[in-house]
């Protein structure tokens, strides 16, 4: 500022007031321009929040209803009303939410096995395996149980069951250890001691086995190796459908 120009406090104050008025006026114009969109956004946000809260409430109510229906169905079986229980579980498989539909199917399978109706139980498990909406871990559970049941049927196709079981023996699979043990059972059913030995050897190579499973596999492997040795180093394969004594 030049020396001959003196500061004027009133001028400075006036400039500040004008500047504030300009800012306020611009704000009002912006608010007038964007207010409808802003209000719409707020309304939409509140509507979405309300919708998701409603959906959550509906899901909770549905889950409570499904849980009650499952309890009633299982109570029927407990009281000896097996046919009514099976019918209720079948209906739940069609109408319940996904999680409870799966639970109904698994309970239905268990109840059918208690009735010694293995073909019907296998049909239920097959429906879970083929259902694209079912999560992979549930499919694997159903597959393992299917092979476990089918292997004891008089007309069991051991080669087909072994092929079905193969995906569960992949390294790191949740059912890897149990699948190898079941694979050994299938080999014994076929009379193939060497294949059973290989399966149990692969099983024992898994690092995170439970102690019970490791002990059982080691004991069975020792028995198989002893039988192979007694038969002359290598055991001749029997035709499918002729199990060894160990598999009976």
């Amino acid at each position: 500022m030049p020396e001959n120009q003196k500061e004027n406090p009133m001028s400075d104050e006036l400039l500040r007031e004008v500047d504030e008025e300009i800012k306020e006026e611009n704000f009002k114009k912006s608010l007038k321009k964007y207010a409808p969109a802003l209000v719409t956004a707020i309304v939409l946000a509140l509507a979405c929040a309300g919708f998701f809260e409603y959906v959550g409430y509906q899901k909770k109510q549905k889950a409570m209803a499904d849980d009650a229906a499952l309890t009633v169905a299982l109570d029927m079986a407990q009281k000896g009303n097996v046919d009514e229980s099976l019918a209720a579980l079948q209906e739940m498989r069609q109408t319940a939410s996904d999680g409870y539909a799966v639970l109904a199917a698994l309970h239905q399978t268990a109840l059918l096995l208690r009735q010694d109706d293995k073909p019907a139980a296998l049909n239920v498990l097959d429906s879970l395996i083929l259902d694209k909406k079912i999560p992979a871990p549930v499919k694997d559970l159903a597959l393992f149980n299917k092979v476990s049941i089918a292997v004891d049927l008089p007309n069991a196709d051991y080669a087909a069951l072994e092929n079905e079981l193969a995906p569960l023996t992949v390294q790191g699979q949740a059912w890897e250890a149990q699948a190898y043990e079941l694979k050994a059972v299938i080999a014994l059913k076929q009379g193939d001691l060497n294949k059973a030995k290989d399966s149990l050897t692969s099983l024992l190579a898994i690092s995170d086995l439970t102690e019970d499973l490791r002990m059982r596999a080691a004991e069975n492997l020792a028995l198989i190796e002893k039988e192979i040795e007694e038969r002359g180093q290598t055991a001749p394969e029997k035709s499918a459908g002729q199990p060894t004594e160990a598999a009976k």
Side-chain angles (χ1 to χ4, degrees), residues 81-101:
N81 301 320
V82 176
D83 290 340
E84 291 84 348
S85 178
L86 288 172
L89 291 170
Q90 178 64 30
E91 183 178 354
M92 282 196 67
R93 288 176 57 195
Q94 308 302 322
T95 61
S97 55
D98 291 345
Y100 278 95

Side-chain angles (χ1 to χ4, degrees), residues 118-119 122 146 148-158 161 189:
K118 291 180 180 179
L122 290 173
K146 175 192 173 180
S148 299
I149 296 166
V151 75
D152 286 327
L153 293 178
N155 60 343
D157 185 341
Y158 298 124
L161 291 175
K189 291 280 189 181

Side-chain angles (χ1 to χ4, degrees), residues 3-241:
E3 292 183 2
N4 60 350
Q5 185 176 346
K6 295 182 181 180
E7 293 184 1
N8 189 335
M10 292 185 64
S11 297
D12 291 342
E13 183 64 26
L14 181 60
L15 288 173
R16 277 195 296 271
E17 288 180 5
V18 170
D19 185 52
E20 289 298 326
E21 287 179 3
I22 292 173
K23 289 180 180 179
E24 184 176 355
E25 186 64 25
N26 287 336
F27 174 74
K28 289 179 179 179
K29 289 180 179 179
S30 297
L31 185 61
K32 185 176 181 180
K33 180 179 179 181
Y34 295 111
L38 181 62
V39 171
T40 301
I42 292 173
V43 170
L44 285 175
L46 292 174
C48 288
F51 173 74
F52 286 119
E53 184 177 346
Y54 173 74
V55 169
Y57 171 78
Q58 290 290 87
K59 286 183 176 180
K60 184 177 180 180
Q61 293 297 107
K62 177 62 174 170
M64 291 173 64
D66 289 342
D67 186 70
L70 182 60
T71 300
V72 170
L74 297 180
D75 189 54
M76 289 177 184
Q78 191 71 23
K79 292 177 179 178
N81 301 320
V82 176
D83 290 340
E84 291 84 348
S85 178
L86 288 172
L89 291 170
Q90 178 64 30
E91 183 178 354
M92 282 196 67
R93 288 176 57 195
Q94 308 302 322
T95 61
S97 55
D98 291 345
Y100 278 95
V102 170
L103 283 175
L106 294 176
H107 280 293
Q108 189 179 29
T109 302
L111 190 53
L112 288 167
L113 289 175
R114 280 169 50 189
Q115 298 298 108
D116 200 30
D117 192 348
K118 291 180 180 179
L122 290 173
N123 286 337
V124 177
L125 293 173
D126 271 330
S127 70
L128 290 176
I129 295 168
L130 297 174
D131 192 336
K132 294 181 179 180
K133 297 184 297 181
I134 301 296
V138 177
K139 287 178 179 284
D140 292 343
L141 170 65
L143 175 58
F144 179 79
N145 279 280
K146 175 192 173 180
V147 177
S148 299
I149 296 166
V151 75
D152 286 327
L153 293 178
N155 60 343
D157 185 341
Y158 298 124
L161 291 175
E162 187 176 353
N163 287 334
E164 282 195 80
L165 192 63
L168 300 186
T169 61
V170 174
Q171 185 176 8
Q173 239 282 352
W175 292 91
E176 180 186 5
Q178 291 82 358
Y180 270 118
E181 185 176 39
L182 185 52
K183 187 177 179 180
V185 171
I186 294 173
L188 291 174
K189 291 280 189 181
Q190 294 174 296
D192 192 338
L193 292 176
N194 292 306
K195 186 183 287 185
K197 175 185 174 181
D198 291 343
S199 295
L200 291 176
T201 301
S202 298
L203 167 57
L204 289 169
I206 299 173
S207 59
D208 57 347
L209 289 179
T210 63
E211 192 60 30
D212 287 346
L213 184 52
R214 184 177 296 279
M215 289 178 60
R216 184 169 68 246
E219 289 173 0
N220 288 327
L221 180 60
L223 290 172
I224 290 171
E225 287 177 334
K226 182 179 179 180
E227 188 168 351
I228 290 175
E229 185 178 359
E230 290 175 351
R231 292 186 182 189
Q233 301 304 319
T234 57
E237 294 183 13
K238 293 185 179 180
S239 61

